[in-house]
Amino acid sequence: MTPKHLLSIDDLGREGIEEILGLTDSFVEVSARRIPKVPALRGKNIAWLFYEDSTRTRLSFETAAKRLSADTMNFSVGSSSVNKGESLRDTCLTISAMGVDAIVVRHRSAGVPWQIANWIDASVINAGDGWHEHPTQALLDTYTLRSHLGDLDGRHIAIVGDIKHSRVARSNLAAFTALGAEVTMVAPQTLLPPSLEGWNANVSHDLDAVLPTVDAIYLLRMQLERQTDALVPTLREYTDGYGLTTQRLAALGEKALIMHPGPMNRGVEICPEAADDPRSVITEQVANGVAVRMSVLFLLLGSGAEHEAGGLS
Amino acid sequence: MTNAVLRQSVLIRGGTVVDASGSRVADVLVGSDGMIEAVGEGLKGDLELDAGGCIVSPGFVDLHTHLREPGKEEAETIESGSRGGALGGFTALVAMPNTTPPMDCVGVVRDVIELGKTALTDIFPSAAITVGRAGEQLSPMAELAKLGVRIFTDDGTGVQDDLLMKRALEYSVGLAPFTGGASVVLAQHCEVAALSDGGFMHEGEWSSRLGIPGQPAEAEELMVMRDIALAKSTGARVHFQHMSTAGSVSLIRAAKAAGLPVTAEATTHHFTLTDAACASFDTVFKVHPPLRTDADVAAVKVGLADGTIDAIATDHAPHCAHDKEQPFDSAPPGMLGLETALALALTELDQPVEKVVGLLSWQAAKIAGIDDVHGCPIEPGRPANITVFDPAEAWTIDSSSFASKSTNCPYEGHNVKGRVRHTIVNGEPVVIDQEATR
């Protein structure tokens, strides 16, 4: 079944995730070609609607779309009608009226992709909504994990850091557990969500205890303003308790993976040695991001017929 | 009552009269002077209204209505809001002061009183406790009391400054010379801004899952605690608006048991909806204080049942569609309530109709200081502010049929029971057979 939108990981479920990851293998292959471009989405029009700054996610989507030969248009929020007071809904209706097949949206407010999906006919892809979801990040992370660990059933993954404010953490928890992994969230209490009811995860304040048991450690970006919000007394203290320091690097399993969604604060949540360690797959995550986003765009916008008839050729 | 001389007498025939003194089957004759003339059998009137199968009760009083006039007339006007109120069985509305400009001075309040004269219901303006509702300087409370204001509130926000709130309460105690002896009440929107600012829904399981910044229960409860302490030290009356948490209900129960002069209201949405509704990201469910948990809903219901909470209020808060059609964090909070309150109370509270009517009518009237005109017993010589409703009529909520200028109703498509048939305001039938007469 072809979904119309990609809003959340929960919408996909295990089958949906596996379908996208399966498809991603083909696009990793496409990306490795001398001319990494296929005509799969020729004539399709995709709009980028990024209300929040994003470099890597937008570039990654843009690269994915180009490799699929889609046309793209960028709605630049900073220099647009939004500054003239246009509402989100009117902006979406305007873009929609130009004829787009998909809108890829990032917004600081949770739920915006759902609202847009109610307003317009095009497919909506959630590229991050507030603290809520970032499904393509979770898919690329899951793909990266699987490419090293194989089946995730029974694997143990620690997500460390500012979980409360992290859409990456929410989507990753959903994706990892959907594929059978066990997740432990490690953070000071102030950086955990106020309630963990219904969360399929262990919680720990003791990274040193968790570290030796994990197959992967996923470090979240520690935003510098959390210190001024009194969520942690000092960044030094945060690093001491929850950073992947050189000492902790030594305690990490030999085959355990080090992951980070970027951009990193070297020396805060991750020491430079860990970022550049052979166990680190951080740049691989970025590379896989393009292939995963090709899969998502192809799945939502390419017709099943094209797929079966070898739309990748 | 401006056109009372032109009026005919009205007979409400065949209903069951329910008021604070109990219930009995009787016809009610409203004289052309706007007063109840007789209650009994074998009466005759110029205009007969059928009340078969209906409850005939004192008119409902909403302690908490946002009429948006002046300032936001595209969302609601005093006229349109009063029409909705009348259709919902209300004969009196207490207008909240968060208009533009705010109701914090004689000029604006006088304007609202003037506009209210042509409304379908009586309009009683509240006034702000502080100038501009900014929490910095007291409004001219005595001048406002002299105009007839009996409820002071900065609704939309709570008075954050402890000392200023204490002074306001102290000052309110001495206002009798300006009111002809009546007392005034300070009504608080309990929310400690330091804890709730930047939050858009109840902080808990759902806000955590949805990644929406939360407004914790303790933001409300801490201010309830503070104001109970201040009611105790000043002896002034405090009314707690839209109580939404189990903790608040317990605090107020204890304060009442200690004999403190506090009262409380709960909105229909706080005993019918929970924060889970926000999972749709539909901003119609965004409201302050926010929708809480099942346990909070249950506690509010118990509070309404055991008398801890004195009144059902609507917190009717109309917003234009284009204002609500925004991201969850920027959409304005608030939902409609006037035209659904009775039905939701009858459908969801599981209380006898006498109890529900008390919560909507005379108990609210007493808090508003208008119980000489509204919520009175149905007996000869009383002003004829009367609501006639069929407690059993089943209907489906459809906001497109509302009189309100806005449609931000969170109950679209809900099946409910209990519907207003006639509403009589100061002797004038403003609603007959579910239709507003003007």
Side-chain angles (χ1 to χ4, degrees):
Chain A
M1 204 196 74
T2 305
K4 179 166 181 190
H5 308 294
L6 177 60
L7 303 177
S8 79
I9 288 293
D10 282 340
D11 291 349
L12 292 172
R14 182 171 190 141
E15 267 180 49
I17 294 169
E18 284 177 341
E19 183 181 356
I20 292 173
L21 299 188
L23 200 53
T24 301
D25 288 331
S26 336
F27 290 114
V28 167
E29 183 269 310
V30 169
S31 297
R33 291 181 195 170
R34 195 173 56 82
I35 300 172
K37 200 165 172 115
V38 289
L41 295 187
R42 204 162 51 193
K44 300 287 185 184
N45 198 10
I46 303 169
W48 318 121
L49 187 58
F50 278 64
Y51 280 82
E52 247 187 11
D53 288 343
S54 155
T55 307
R56 58 189 59 225
T57 303
R58 235 203 57 206
L59 288 180
S60 177
F61 265 112
E62 183 112 35
T63 307
K66 282 180 175 154
R67 287 188 183 166
L68 292 169
S69 307
D71 297 319
T72 64
M73 55 185 191
N74 182 34
F75 187 88
S76 168
V77 169
S79 59
S80 71
S81 45
V82 172
N83 277 349
K84 299 170 189 164
E86 186 173 62
S87 72
L88 173 69
R89 182 165 180 268
D90 284 335
T91 299
C92 291
L93 293 179
T94 302
I95 293 174
S96 178
M98 290 173 193
V100 291
D101 298 287
I103 288 186
V104 179
V105 61
R106 169 169 290 189
H107 201 285
R108 64 161 201 285
S109 182
V112 159
W114 279 258
Q115 293 177 297
I116 295 177
N118 280 330
W119 292 332
I120 63 167
D121 287 333
S123 292
V124 177
I125 296 169
N126 184 358
D129 64 322
W131 308 341
H132 182 222
E133 281 256 16
H134 193 355
T136 57
Q137 178 74 44
L139 290 167
L140 74 89
D141 289 334
T142 309
Y143 185 83
T144 307
L145 277 167
R146 284 223 315 195
S147 67
H148 288 270
L149 303 177
D151 200 352
L152 293 191
D153 264 313
R155 296 293 195 165
H156 184 200
I157 303 161
I159 302 178
V160 183
D162 185 1
I163 288 154
K164 178 178 178 173
H165 304 97
S166 176
R167 51 186 168 228
V168 174
R170 283 178 180 76
S171 285
N172 269 338
L173 174 62
F176 299 166
T177 54
L179 297 190
E182 183 187 350
V183 173
T184 301
M185 303 189 303
V186 189
Q189 193 68 25
T190 46
L191 296 179
L192 287 169
S195 164
L196 293 166
E197 221 173 308
W199 289 56
N200 185 11
N202 314 308
V203 175
S204 170
H205 303 304
D206 188 351
L207 182 56
D208 293 309
V210 173
L211 207 56
T213 69
V214 301
D215 296 296
I217 176 170
Y218 196 104
L219 300 154
L220 296 168
R221 175 179 164 75
M222 183 60 187
Q223 303 215 8
L224 304 179
E225 62 263 27
R226 302 299 173 221
Q227 191 176 316
T228 48
D229 292 344
L231 291 165
V232 292
T234 65
L235 288 179
R236 202 173 68 87
E237 188 161 312
Y238 175 80
T239 305
D240 189 47
Y242 300 93
L244 185 54
T245 56
T246 45
Q247 291 91 323
R248 289 202 176 100
L249 193 57
L252 187 67
E254 247 174 64
K255 290 185 173 170
L257 304 174
I258 299 168
M259 302 178 76
H260 193 295
M264 288 183 280
N265 288 313
R266 284 179 186 246
V268 181
E269 70 269 7
I270 187 167
C271 68
E273 293 81 358
D276 302 328
D277 192 90
R279 289 166 288 184
S280 163
V281 292
I282 295 168
T283 52
E284 227 175 284
Q285 289 172 266
V286 177
N288 289 335
V290 175
V292 157
R293 289 178 174 116
M294 288 170 79
S295 296
V296 168
L297 293 172
F298 180 75
L299 188 72
L300 299 187
L301 300 182
S303 73
E306 279 174 305
H307 183 189
E308 276 151 39
L312 304 186
S313 56
Chain B
M1 290 191 281
T2 45
N3 56 345
V5 283
L6 306 172
R7 272 200 219 132
Q8 8 173 304
S9 64
V10 178
L11 182 69
I12 304 165
R13 183 192 285 284
T16 301
V17 174
V18 171
D19 61 16
S21 65
S23 72
R24 62 267 177 207
V25 176
D27 298 342
V28 178
L29 179 64
V30 176
S32 56
D33 60 354
M35 309 298 271
I36 296 173
E37 199 170 300
V39 179
E41 287 170 29
L43 304 171
K44 284 203 158 46
D46 302 327
L47 174 69
E48 294 206 352
L49 299 179
D50 173 31
C54 287
I55 304 294
V56 179
S57 87
F60 304 157
V61 173
D62 189 16
L63 289 168
H64 202 135
T65 317
H66 296 276
L67 291 169
R68 303 294 185 223
E69 190 174 7
K72 195 74 182 174
E73 289 84 352
E74 69 265 46
E76 198 78 287
T77 62
I78 290 174
E79 194 204 351
S80 66
S82 75
R83 187 171 293 113
L87 287 163
F90 292 91
T91 56
L93 306 176
V94 178
M96 289 295 106
N98 60 337
T99 48
T100 313
M103 291 147 66
D104 64 353
C105 62
V106 167
V108 180
V109 170
R110 194 178 276 148
D111 240 22
V112 170
I113 291 171
E114 204 51 44
L115 289 162
K117 285 180 181 164
T118 56
L120 281 75
T121 64
D122 276 348
I123 303 294
F124 295 94
S126 64
I129 296 170
T130 68
V131 174
R133 300 170 47 253
E136 286 165 5
Q137 184 191 342
L138 291 186
S139 67
M141 292 171 67
E143 282 179 12
L144 293 161
K146 210 185 271 182
L147 272 183
V149 172
R150 297 291 176 268
I151 293 186
F152 290 89
T153 175
D154 276 1
D155 184 53
T157 180
V159 178
Q160 302 295 319
D161 187 301
D162 304 336
L163 181 62
L164 188 67
M165 190 60 200
K166 180 170 174 171
R167 293 286 178 260
L169 285 164
E170 286 173 339
Y171 194 69
S172 75
V173 172
L175 293 179
F178 304 94
T179 62
S183 71
V184 302
V185 65
L186 267 58
Q188 190 76 277
H189 173 130
C190 291
E191 213 167 26
V192 173
L195 289 169
S196 67
D197 272 7
F200 310 113
M201 68 175 289
H202 172 67
E203 180 176 291
E205 178 186 350
W206 281 100
S207 73
S208 298
R209 247 188 248 185
L210 299 172
I212 294 178
Q215 299 159 299
E218 63 268 23
E220 174 171 306
E221 290 155 4
L222 282 172
M223 198 170 281
V224 172
M225 278 184 209
R226 181 198 69 178
D227 287 355
I228 288 171
L230 293 177
K232 189 174 176 186
S233 71
T234 62
R237 287 173 61 202
V238 176
H239 175 67
F240 293 105
Q241 298 177 295
H242 41 48
M243 288 291 92
S244 69
T245 81
S248 297
V249 176
S250 300
L251 288 163
I252 292 162
R253 186 176 290 123
K256 285 188 160 186
L260 297 176
V262 299
T263 54
E265 69 188 36
T267 69
T268 38
H269 47 272
H270 286 121
F271 64 76
T272 55
L273 300 170
T274 68
D275 56 346
C278 299
S280 64
F281 298 108
D282 187 338
T283 58
V284 79
F285 298 109
K286 183 179 174 185
V287 65
H288 286 175
L291 302 176
R292 307 276 186 189
T293 67
D294 283 321
D296 295 306
V297 166
V300 169
K301 283 184 175 179
V302 171
L304 286 161
D306 71 10
T308 301
I309 298 172
D310 304 87
I312 293 169
T314 68
D315 197 0
H316 179 79
H319 289 291
C320 299
H322 65 84
D323 286 324
K324 272 291 193 185
E325 279 169 352
Q326 290 193 70
F328 207 88
D329 67 1
S330 29
M335 42 181 69
L336 300 185
L338 285 170
E339 296 177 62
T340 49
L342 170 71
L344 290 162
L346 289 171
T347 309
E348 303 279 350
L349 280 184
D350 200 27
Q351 291 292 317
V353 74
E354 294 80 1
K355 179 103 192 175
V356 169
V357 170
L359 288 162
L360 283 163
S361 179
W362 53 87
Q363 288 164 220
K366 203 169 162 209
I367 293 166
I370 56 171
D371 48 336
D372 53 336
V373 189
H374 291 270
C376 308
I378 305 236
E379 58 189 28
R382 298 287 193 168
N385 289 305
I386 296 170
T387 298
V388 180
F389 63 92
D390 181 345
E393 183 178 332
W395 59 292
T396 302
I397 295 174
D398 166 19
S399 65
S400 69
S401 71
F402 287 174
S404 174
K405 293 180 86 171
S406 297
T407 57
N408 51 310
C409 167
Y411 303 105
E412 205 61 43
H414 283 223
N415 294 314
V416 289
K417 63 165 188 186
R419 192 156 202 186
V420 172
R421 194 180 290 179
H422 318 298
T423 307
I424 293 160
V425 176
N426 296 314
E428 180 195 351
V430 293
V431 173
I432 297 178
D433 290 327
Q434 303 179 359
E435 301 276 350
T437 55
R438 60 182 172 97

